[in-house]
Amino acid sequence: MPGSWLILVLAVSSAAALAHAATVEHTFNVGTLSWPRICQPGNISITAVGGVPGPVIEAYEGDTVVVHVINDSPYDVTIHWHGVFQRGTPWADGPSMVTQCPIRPGSRYTYRFSVSGQEGSLWWHAHSSFLRATVHGALIIRPSAGAYPFPKPDGEAVVVLGEWWDADIVLLERQAFLSGTQIPSADAYTINGKPNQTEKFSVRGNSTYLLRIINAALNTAFFFKVAGHTFTVVAADASYTTPYETDVIVIAPGQTVDALMAAGATPGCYYMEISSYQSAMPLRLGSFNIDVATAVVEYVGAAPTTDGGQQAAPARPEMPKPTDTATANGFYTGLTARVLPGRPTVPLAVDTRMFVTVGLGLSSCLPEQTSCNRSAPEAVATMNNESFALPTTTSLLDARYGKAPGGVYTNDFPDRPPVAFDYTNATGLLAGGAAAALSSTGRPTTKVRALRYNATVEVVLQNTALLGRESHPMHLHGFNFFVLAQGFGNYGGAASEQLNLVNPQQRNTIAVPTGGWVVIRFVADNPGMWFMHCHIDSHLSIGLAMVFAVEDGPTPDTKLPPPPPDLPRC
Ligand SMILES: *[C@@H]1O[C@H](CO)[C@@H](O)[C@H](O)[C@H]1NC(C)=O
Ligand SMILES: *[C@@H]1O[C@H](CO)[C@@H](O)[C@H](O)[C@H]1NC(C)=O
Ligand SMILES: *[C@@H]1O[C@H](CO)[C@@H](O)[C@H](O)[C@H]1NC(C)=O
Ligand SMILES: *[C@@H]1O[C@H](CO)[C@@H](O)[C@H](O)[C@H]1NC(C)=O
Ligand SMILES: *[C@@H]1O[C@H](CO)[C@@H](O)[C@H](O)[C@H]1NC(C)=O
Ligand SMILES: *[C@@H]1O[C@H](CO)[C@@H](O)[C@H](O)[C@H]1NC(C)=O
Ligand SMILES: *[C@@H]1O[C@H](CO)[C@@H](O)[C@H](O)[C@H]1NC(C)=O
Ligand SMILES: [Cu+2]
């Protein structure tokens, strides 16, 4: 019975940021909490920082953030500050075994970094095992000058979208690994940690609210609507966008969207609703939760609306179908950057070009997968036919800093797939045998791509249809990138595809279209070891990742700093 687990009282202290405060300090007690189940009565033990979602970190651009993490949970933990550039502080990025060894149970570690050159909504989350499911929260960066480049909203709300399992997520992950299967689909979707029909937002009529929407779900992209209301998207991944009017927001795991919502409807109650976007083709019925999650948007002081004497139910929005790729694509491609003076512009001369396939293929069980069906193939995820494994004894950044990559990683992540093929034609793939040729039979490897300091890097991410096509939200640590173009089918090369070099959206996580491609570009001016991976945890755990090793620059402040003295050891 889970109730017999050790229940700790968690204290979360925070010094609220005053305008222009230099340092924002928090203490995160990662511990075991007793938390209400969603699908059955009673509580379950979860790992969290005070609750789900955890505390909001609020800072002003230029502030220093200090977070003391005390690990009172039974699991190894690290925290990643999703979207924060970590310029000069690559050791604070957080992915386990990439930039640090995990914080062991009973240990603590203090993250210190500054939030400079970016404004908007970001978030923090565990970056070890699947703990992100319950260990996450918002990280808000307000403009230091106090002014947004859009009309000041009357209020704002953090809206964290999540997935919930009435189970210990680390145990589910372990079982999935041993059996070579995926974890079951979520028991429910949540809004600010709350199940269907429980979260409430109060608004005043004729007011405008800034919604800071964060997709913290492990494995699911969402459609987001509010009945009777439309939105003006003003930022995505903490990068300002040209105001974009829409009645539906689409958000993949890892992404954030800042949207203004005018509370201009007839005063009353309206449902906010999320439903899943299922990009996998062929659609695997039964592999996802078809439920929705709703929250109530209630106008303050509105007389209860009645329907023949009965109190009327709030209006519900009409959600797109789960397979509505046209709506997802319309939103994803509709965003462009709001070009502001002093902000980065697209670098025009490219130094390093890569063409990287991303997708799922087939493999066979590893010896340590003791309950795996050895007569059936299992899913594996690859980039350019390489399936990524984290090192186990030394973090990548440690190995790089100590100039001892031997046995930890190799510098040979390929710039192209081993064979060129008709990437997105499932019929052709089976007929031509490419699926078999690109099925990974070996063990996953730890290959990184070295980048010269300050190189301009362009990467085409090409989805494959080897084992069905699917939209993969690819997240790059340490940088924002410009999204120059995206489309369906096979990438045809810069000559035939129109690149937006004027006002492309900037992101840290891009949903590569299902059966399609995207072109991204960034300047490698941040020395470190930077993870690029699918933000669907069930794909990351089967290898959908690689690492950029950005080399040192010419000056002292462009060289890898030494590790903080209290960095956890393996
Ligand atoms: C269940 O969890 C809630 C929320 O954390 C808590 O208030 C309540 O005391 C818990 N109930 C039990 C029986 O532990
Ligand atoms: C909103 O503004 C309109 C026009 O000024 C006014 O008629 C209406 O009463 C206002 N509604 C609320 C809820 O304040
Ligand atoms: C979620 O809430 C909506 C709105 O009340 C309701 O119609 C729907 O049946 C609920 N769904 C589930 C799975 O409970
Ligand atoms: C293992 O896979 C084989 C081949 O797909 C299948 O026939 C068999 O039923 C599977 N065994 C179990 C225990 O699922
Ligand atoms: C896909 O491949 C099949 C078999 O090679 C071929 O007949 C078909 O024309 C291809 N489809 C497209 C759209 O190229
Ligand atoms: C893809 O990788 C596997 C090892 O995982 C290897 O056996 C196979 O030959 C590779 N495919 C090609 C076309 O190189
Ligand atoms: C980085 O590259 C830009 C553009 O190519 C150049 O102007 C700048 O001087 C470079 N900086 C360093 C430190 O090499
Ligand atoms: Cu993925």
Side-chain angles (χ1 to χ4, degrees):
M1 152 121 189
S4 63
W5 280 45
L6 183 62
I7 298 166
L8 302 174
V9 178
L10 303 183
V12 178
S13 69
S14 78
L18 302 169
H20 315 295
T23 300
V24 177
E25 194 163 359
H26 285 256
T27 297
F28 279 12
N29 291 74
V30 184
T32 306
L33 277 186
S34 178
W35 207 247
R37 288 175 196 270
I38 283 184
C39 304
Q40 311 150 45
N43 277 8
I44 180 187
S45 291
I46 59 160
T47 301
V49 181
V52 186
V56 178
I57 298 178
E58 296 187 59
Y60 286 85
E61 195 270 335
D63 281 356
T64 296
V65 176
V66 175
V67 182
H68 311 284
V69 177
I70 301 170
N71 185 7
D72 287 327
S73 87
Y75 301 116
D76 287 353
V77 170
T78 66
I79 306 284
H80 168 55
W81 318 93
H82 184 112
V84 173
F85 299 146
Q86 301 291 0
R87 295 178 75 89
T89 51
W91 301 95
D93 190 40
S96 183
M97 299 314 290
V98 178
T99 61
Q100 69 168 101
C101 301
I103 308 168
R104 302 288 184 205
S107 303
R108 58 163 68 203
Y109 176 57
T110 298
Y111 290 90
R112 292 169 206 274
F113 54 91
S114 69
V115 285
S116 303
Q118 51 191 155
E119 300 166 6
S121 306
L122 294 174
W123 58 302
W124 55 268
H125 61 78
H127 213 304
S128 54
S129 63
F130 281 14
L131 283 175
R132 169 159 76 86
T134 49
V135 179
H136 63 247
L139 193 171
I140 293 169
I141 308 169
R142 297 209 160 81
S144 54
Y148 297 113
F150 46 81
K152 188 177 187 300
D154 300 296
E156 54 176 75
V158 171
V159 186
V160 179
L161 314 180
E163 275 177 303
W164 179 265
W165 285 263
D166 273 339
D168 183 322
I169 195 73
V170 179
L171 296 184
L172 288 185
E173 180 187 8
R174 183 85 194 134
Q175 283 161 6
F177 170 75
L178 291 176
S179 60
T181 56
Q182 306 253 301
I183 64 163
S185 57
D187 291 318
Y189 303 130
T190 57
I191 296 177
N192 284 343
K194 302 209 179 69
N196 200 28
Q197 283 179 289
T198 26
E199 176 69 323
K200 186 182 273 189
F201 298 90
S202 291
V203 297
R204 290 182 189 283
N206 292 344
S207 302
T208 300
Y209 293 87
L210 177 62
L211 305 183
R212 300 175 177 279
I213 308 163
I214 296 165
N215 188 347
L218 280 194
N219 297 329
T220 302
F222 291 116
F223 294 115
F224 174 99
K225 283 184 132 185
V226 175
H229 293 75
T230 59
F231 313 102
T232 305
V233 174
V234 290
D237 293 3
S239 293
Y240 292 118
T241 61
T242 311
Y244 177 77
E245 307 292 329
T246 181
D247 69 340
V248 59
I249 284 168
V250 190
I251 185 164
Q255 295 184 325
T256 69
V257 171
D258 288 354
L260 296 172
M261 183 182 85
T266 309
C269 284
Y270 299 85
Y271 275 123
M272 172 188 290
E273 187 158 330
I274 56 170
S275 62
S276 77
Y277 165 45
Q278 297 295 329
S279 63
M281 282 293 143
L283 184 66
R284 293 188 292 278
L285 285 169
S287 71
F288 66 96
N289 190 326
I290 59 165
D291 292 343
V292 302
T294 60
V296 176
V297 175
E298 185 184 58
Y299 280 64
V300 175
T305 38
T306 56
D307 178 9
Q310 299 279 57
Q311 189 167 332
R316 279 185 70 181
E318 193 182 324
M319 302 307 287
K321 285 199 193 68
T323 53
D324 191 345
T325 288
T327 293
N329 189 54
F331 181 85
Y332 287 148
T333 59
L335 300 180
T336 51
R338 184 192 280 260
V339 178
L340 293 165
R343 302 275 164 166
T345 54
V346 185
L348 298 178
V350 177
D351 302 301
T352 302
R353 288 181 196 275
M354 298 172 69
F355 181 90
V356 180
T357 59
V358 293
L360 305 182
L362 292 174
S363 185
S364 41
C365 308
L366 298 170
E368 59 270 34
Q369 291 180 291
T370 49
S371 53
C372 194
N373 182 348
R374 284 173 205 285
S375 30
E378 66 164 305
V380 69
T382 59
M383 297 177 72
N384 278 351
N385 194 38
E386 300 293 342
S387 189
F388 185 84
L390 289 167
T392 53
T393 55
T394 309
S395 81
L396 296 178
L397 193 55
D398 245 336
R400 149 97 187 273
Y401 184 74
K403 300 189 167 46
V408 181
Y409 68 89
T410 52
N411 267 311
D412 53 351
F413 181 83
D415 285 356
R416 329 211 114 251
V419 289
F421 57 100
D422 189 358
Y423 305 103
T424 53
N425 181 345
T427 323
L429 286 170
L430 291 175
L438 286 159
S439 283
S440 175
T441 49
R443 287 198 72 88
T445 54
T446 310
K447 296 190 178 181
V448 315
R449 173 63 158 91
L451 295 176
R452 188 175 52 72
Y453 174 77
N454 208 26
T456 295
V457 184
E458 182 176 290
V459 185
V460 176
L461 295 166
Q462 171 71 59
N463 185 219
T464 67
L466 291 171
L467 183 71
R469 50 195 167 83
E470 181 163 0
S471 172
H472 298 282
M474 298 301 293
H475 173 49
L476 175 61
H477 291 228
F479 302 91
N480 281 347
F481 46 77
F482 294 95
V483 182
L484 302 185
Q486 45 191 315
F488 293 104
N490 299 322
Y491 177 66
S496 58
E497 315 287 2
Q498 206 70 37
L499 302 184
N500 178 355
L501 301 172
V502 178
N503 64 348
Q505 56 178 306
Q506 282 181 270
R507 285 206 172 257
N508 62 54
T509 307
I510 181 70
V512 180
T514 177
W517 50 268
V518 60
V519 183
I520 63 170
R521 200 180 279 186
F522 65 99
V523 179
D525 56 0
N526 189 10
M529 296 296 263
W530 304 112
F531 215 9
M532 181 161 81
H533 63 89
C534 181
H535 221 274
I536 292 178
D537 271 24
S538 62
H539 295 168
L540 171 57
S541 63
I542 56 173
L544 227 180
M546 57 81 68
V547 167
F548 286 112
V550 178
E551 291 170 356
D552 285 357
T555 54
D557 66 331
T558 57
K559 291 197 191 315
L560 208 57
D566 57 340
L567 190 74
R569 314 227 145 259
C570 284

